[in-house]
Amino acid sequence: RYEETISKYQDKLMSQPALVASADRVKEKMEIMSLVEMVFTRGAENRNFSFGDIAHHIRQDVGKAEFTVLKALAYGVIKGSIDQVSRTVNITWVQPRVLTKGQIAAPEIKFDRWIQGVQDTLVFLEQETPELRM
């Protein structure tokens, strides 16, 4: 969408010298924010990403995806480790940021699913081990 937006407003952007001078930096920030968004959409239990998946998400080639991950690590936006052999990154932490209403609702849904899973497990254990009930 970034490229589409740039194309659509090319004339207006070119009339702003500050934006023209900072175009590469703005694109870099957009790629990092896209990576952060990708991490937020995945559950905390599954934060292993292939460089191919990241490249697809940020709409760049695999080499650029790896470079974007390195920048995000260097800026302290994310924490994690890169496995060069398997060409993956394990992200263990993401810098907190302001969330949209939809992003706030997503953890609530995950939490509700977790509660239901715990309740299902409790019922199962009670059925399978009636001798332990008090």
Side-chain angles (χ1 to χ4, degrees):
R1 289 178 40 187
Y2 175 79
E3 297 296 334
E4 293 167 7
T5 303
I6 295 298
S7 296
K8 183 177 179 180
Y9 297 104
Q10 184 74 26
D11 294 336
K12 290 181 181 181
L13 291 171
M14 289 300 162
S15 68
Q16 300 294 321
L19 288 176
V20 172
S22 303
D24 291 339
R25 182 79 172 123
V26 170
K27 186 172 182 180
E28 175 186 297
K29 285 184 175 187
M30 294 296 293
E31 290 168 352
I32 290 172
M33 290 308 299
S34 182
L35 172 63
V36 167
E37 181 66 27
M38 180 182 188
V39 175
F40 270 124
T41 59
R42 271 229 199 140
E45 68 283 347
N46 186 16
R47 294 251 174 107
N48 285 319
F49 300 90
S50 73
F51 286 121
D53 289 343
I54 294 169
H56 177 74
H57 191 78
I58 67 170
R59 299 179 184 184
Q60 294 291 338
D61 60 48
V62 174
K64 179 70 173 171
E66 186 173 359
F67 193 58
T68 300
V69 170
L70 289 171
K71 286 181 183 178
L73 287 166
Y75 294 148
V77 175
I78 62 173
K79 292 182 183 177
S81 59
I82 295 174
D83 183 340
Q84 286 290 352
V85 175
S86 65
R87 312 257 319 131
T88 60
V89 60
N90 179 20
I91 299 174
T92 57
W93 179 85
V94 180
Q95 182 177 14
R97 62 188 182 97
V98 175
L99 302 175
T100 65
K101 288 181 181 182
Q103 291 169 322
I104 291 170
E108 181 180 4
I109 293 167
K110 289 178 184 178
F111 189 66
D112 289 342
R113 287 182 190 151
W114 178 79
I115 289 172
Q116 186 60 49
V118 169
Q119 289 173 342
D120 293 346
T121 303
L122 177 62
V123 169
F124 172 77
L125 290 173
E126 287 175 343
Q127 291 172 351
E128 295 296 316
T129 57
E131 66 277 2
L132 297 179
R133 291 182 80 185
M134 291 187 197

